[in-house]
Amino acid sequence: MLVVAMAVALVVIAAGVSLGLWAASGGEGGATGPEARASRGGVAAAPTEPGTSPSPSPTRSYPLSEAPRTIPAVRDHTPARGPGWRPEKGNRVVVDDPALADEGRLIAGELGLTYQGEKSDKRAGDLRLSLNDDKGANPESYVMTVRDGRVEISGPADAGVFYGTRTLKQEAHDGGTAPEGVVRDEPAKAQRGLMLDIARKNFTAGWIEDRIRELGDLKFNQLGLHFSDDQGFRIASDTHPEVVSQQHLTKAQVRRIVDLAESRHITVVPEIDSPGHLGAVLDAHPDLQLRSAQGSPVQGAIDISKPESAEIVDDLLNEYADLFPGGSWHLGGDEYQALTRSNPEASFPQLAAAAREKYGSGATVADLATGWLNDRAATVREHQRTPRAWNDGFFRGGSVQADKDIQVAYWTGKEIGARQPAEYLSAGRKVINYNDEFLYYVLGEPQTFVYPTGQRIYEQWTPRVLRGTAAVPERYDGQILGGSFAVWCDLANSQTQDQVAAGIRMPLRATVQKLWDPDRPELSWAEFRALADRLG
C-alpha cells in the first residue's frame, strides 16, 4: 500500500509541474518573451490576474492579441493576453465627465448596453468614457484600453473619445470582440470631408442624414453642402425667398442635419458659390446678370460692378451664418466666365471701369474679381468663419491679392493660367485637397471625368497628391490641412440617390484611410475591400 501511495503522489506532483509549465509558456503555440507590437488583425488577450501565484490546477492562457481591424486602421496597438471584451446585455456605459453623455448614450444604444451616466465604481463588462488632462495632445486623439473584462476610452476632448467609440463599434460588429491591449490613435489630417452638390440634384434630407451617420462611423469630420448653382438654390431663404428652387430643404430640415452632424463631430461647411455659378439667383434677378459689351448675357455670372450684386450675396451669407454654426465657409470663387475671354477688359467695359475706379488705373477685371472674393471673405469673417475658395479663384500677379487667410480648395490644374500646387504652398497658403483626378465623382462622367475607384485612391493617392498623380514635396505637408471627396451632379439624372451612395461607398473608405494615415496601408486592396464588406 505504501508503494502505491508514493506512486500516486509522484504522478500528482508531475502533473502539477507539467500544467504549471504549460500555463507559463502560453499554452500550445503560446508566445514567450517580451510582448512585441501586434500586427493588425484578430482578437485575444491576458490570462490570470497579475501577481497571483502559480496554481497546480490548469489555468487558461491566451496568445498575444492582434490589433483591431477597422476602417480607418488604428495607428498603434500594444498587444496583451486576455479574452478581450464584447458587449453583453446588462453591461454598463459610464462616464467620468458629463460632457461625454452624448457619446455615452450613442454607443450604449448602438451596442445594446445600459447608459448609467457618471459612476466611479468598477464593474465587470463596463465601458468607461473619460477625459484626460493631456492638453497638448491632438483633440481628436484617443486611447482605448481593454483589460480585465472592461474597456476604457479616454481622450483630451469629446471628439477623440467619440472616435474611440467608433473603433469599438467596428470591433464589436456582428458579434466581434475588442482585443485585449491598448490602442493609441489619432488622425494625420485635421480636415476629412465629403462635399455634396445638392444644388444640381435635390438630395432628400433623409439621404443626407444617412450619409452623416456613415461619415461619423468612418471618422470623417466635415460635410460640405454646395447648395447654390445655376441649376438650383436648395435651402429655404427668408431674406430672398424668390431665389429658392421648388425642391429644397426647409430650415427645420437643415437644423436637424446640422444637429445630427454635430452629434457625430462633423462640421457642415456651406457654399454659396460666387461670382460665378449664380444662375438660380439670377433667374430671379436678371438685372444683375453680367452682360458683354454687345449685351449678351453670361450664364451664371453676376455683374460685380453693381453694388446690388454684393448686397444680395451678402444678404444670403449673413442669413445662413446662424443656420450653419461651424468654423469654415466655402466662398466658391471659381469659373467666373468674364475671365475666360481673351480680353476681359474689352469684353466687359463696365467691369474694367469698376476695377480702375476701385483699385487704380492699372487694375484689371481679375483684380475686381479678387476684390469681390476678399469682400465676401470679410462678410463671413464677421461671423467668425474661416473662408475657403476654389484654386481657380486665385489669380497670379495683379494689383489685388486674395487675403492670406482664405484657404485654397485645390481641385484642378486645368484653369486659365494654371499654377502648380507648390506655387500656392510656397506663398504660405493653407490648402485642402480636392484633387479632381482622384476625388471627383461627377454624375454622368461628362468631359474627361470618370468615376473614381476606391482602389486607385487606396493605392496611389495621398494628401500630398494635390494635382495629377505627383506628390508635392514633404516640406509642405503641414500646410495641407486635409482633403475632401466631392460628389458633383453635372448630369443629375444619371444616377439615383441610392446609386450615388453605392458608388461612393468604397472611395469614401479609401479616402478616409489615407487622411487618417497617409502611409502605405498594411492591408492589400483585396483585404481592405473584404474588411469593408464585413463591417457593412
Side-chain angles (χ1 to χ4, degrees):
M1 292 294 293
L2 179 59
V3 172
V4 173
M6 291 176 63
V8 170
L10 288 171
V11 169
V12 170
I13 292 168
V17 171
S18 174
L19 290 168
L21 289 172
W22 182 87
S25 69
E28 209 172 311
T32 59
E35 296 185 344
R37 180 169 300 162
S39 61
R40 292 188 171 104
V43 179
T48 55
E49 292 288 330
T52 57
S53 58
S55 167
S57 60
T59 58
R60 185 178 179 187
S61 180
Y62 301 90
L64 277 176
S65 61
E66 295 182 348
R69 288 235 171 141
T70 59
I71 297 175
V74 300
R75 304 285 295 276
D76 183 86
H77 176 254
T78 302
R81 301 178 188 275
W85 179 93
R86 68 173 58 192
E88 296 182 4
K89 189 173 183 179
N91 285 1
R92 304 186 308 173
V93 176
V94 296
V95 300
D96 284 358
D97 192 299
L100 299 175
D102 290 343
E103 288 72 21
R105 290 191 180 95
L106 177 62
I107 191 65
E110 291 169 329
L111 299 185
L113 308 178
T114 302
Y115 178 71
Q116 293 200 357
E118 293 180 78
K119 301 289 182 183
S120 58
D121 63 315
K122 296 182 179 180
R123 294 185 188 174
D126 275 357
L127 165 57
R128 179 174 295 277
L129 308 182
S130 62
L131 294 175
N132 60 43
D133 57 1
D134 191 356
K135 303 304 182 185
N138 183 333
E140 294 187 309
S141 66
Y142 67 92
V143 176
M144 180 168 67
T145 304
V146 179
R147 182 185 298 139
D148 300 331
R150 293 186 291 270
V151 182
E152 179 172 359
I153 299 172
S154 66
D158 53 353
V161 174
F162 171 74
Y163 295 134
T165 68
R166 300 307 88 192
T167 296
L168 185 65
K169 181 183 177 182
Q170 289 191 29
E171 290 173 336
H173 176 75
D174 199 23
T177 300
E180 203 89 0
V182 181
V183 168
R184 293 177 177 85
D185 202 14
E186 64 179 321
K189 291 300 178 183
Q191 295 190 21
R192 307 175 299 281
L194 166 66
M195 193 228 73
L196 292 174
D197 172 12
I198 66 171
R200 294 182 177 94
K201 185 177 181 68
N202 180 56
F203 290 95
T204 65
W207 187 91
I208 296 171
E209 289 169 359
D210 286 344
R211 300 289 72 71
I212 289 170
R213 295 183 184 94
E214 180 181 15
L215 295 175
D217 283 351
L218 292 170
K219 304 187 178 91
F220 280 90
N221 64 2
Q222 287 189 357
L223 172 66
L225 292 182
H226 175 94
F227 65 91
S228 169
D229 212 302
D230 296 345
Q231 293 80 359
F233 192 102
R234 302 290 182 186
I235 296 178
S237 171
D238 298 319
T239 60
H240 291 282
E242 74 280 359
V243 308
V244 179
S245 301
Q246 183 177 3
Q247 289 185 308
H248 65 271
L249 298 171
T250 67
K251 285 191 173 180
Q253 288 174 319
V254 173
R255 289 188 186 98
R256 285 194 294 271
I257 287 169
V258 169
D259 288 346
L260 178 64
E262 286 184 340
S263 76
R264 266 65 175 177
H265 295 273
I266 294 171
T267 299
V268 180
V269 181
E271 180 189 358
I272 299 176
D273 201 346
S274 77
H277 294 282
L278 280 172
V281 172
L282 295 171
D283 285 346
H285 294 273
D287 54 309
L288 299 180
Q289 188 161 21
L290 179 64
R291 293 180 179 273
S292 69
Q294 292 74 38
S296 301
V298 181
Q299 175 62 35
I302 202 166
D303 189 335
I304 58 177
S305 70
K306 296 183 176 181
E308 297 83 2
S309 295
E311 289 171 9
I312 191 170
V313 173
D314 282 349
D315 284 347
L316 294 167
L317 294 174
N318 287 320
E319 176 182 357
Y320 292 112
D322 290 337
L323 194 60
F324 296 101
S328 296
W329 198 290
H330 204 314
L331 297 169
D334 63 313
E335 298 179 329
Y336 188 48
Q337 294 302 306
L339 295 169
T340 64
R341 307 295 175 91
S342 58
N343 189 339
E345 286 70 34
S347 297
F348 304 99
Q350 76 276 34
L351 300 184
R356 291 192 296 271
E357 181 180 351
K358 189 169 185 178
Y359 298 113
S361 59
T364 65
V365 174
D367 290 323
L368 191 67
T370 301
W372 169 279
L373 180 66
N374 288 341
D375 290 344
R376 306 293 77 73
T379 298
V380 301
R381 207 178 285 119
E382 289 179 1
H383 299 282
Q384 291 73 53
R385 304 296 194 271
T386 300
R388 71 177 66 162
W390 299 112
N391 63 287
D392 51 333
F394 296 76
F395 306 105
R396 180 190 284 117
S399 58
V400 182
Q401 294 297 303
D403 292 343
K404 289 295 186 183
D405 69 329
I406 303 176
Q407 298 171 355
V408 180
Y410 196 97
W411 72 280
T412 183
K414 307 178 183 72
E415 76 274 20
I416 294 173
R419 289 174 283 168
Q420 292 289 338
E423 187 169 331
Y424 300 89
L425 294 164
S426 63
R429 292 199 178 274
K430 295 180 178 178
V431 176
I432 304 147
N433 191 326
Y434 289 78
N435 186 332
D436 65 341
E437 293 192 33
F438 286 92
L439 306 179
Y440 262 35
Y441 191 93
V442 185
L443 296 197
E445 299 181 308
Q447 302 175 45
T448 59
F449 289 107
V450 296
Y451 292 127
T453 67
Q455 182 173 2
R456 187 163 181 258
I457 297 168
Y458 190 77
E459 294 178 345
Q460 299 181 33
W461 180 81
T462 73
R464 284 171 45 212
V465 178
L466 285 160
R467 173 180 176 176
T469 58
V472 298
E474 188 174 0
R475 66 180 179 274
Y476 294 127
D477 187 64
Q479 291 171 241
I480 301 171
L481 303 178
S484 181
F485 192 82
V487 176
W488 292 103
C489 302
D490 292 43
L491 300 174
N493 295 324
S494 300
Q495 289 191 344
T496 66
Q497 291 187 144
D498 290 344
Q499 287 173 324
V500 173
I504 68 176
R505 180 177 175 274
M506 288 309 301
L508 281 178
R509 283 152 177 77
T511 299
V512 79
Q513 172 61 44
K514 303 305 280 291
L515 290 168
W516 196 265
D517 183 355
D519 293 338
R520 180 180 293 278
E522 292 188 15
L523 298 183
S524 69
W525 170 249
E527 292 169 328
F528 184 81
R529 184 175 55 198
L531 175 61
D533 290 343
R534 180 174 68 79
L535 294 176

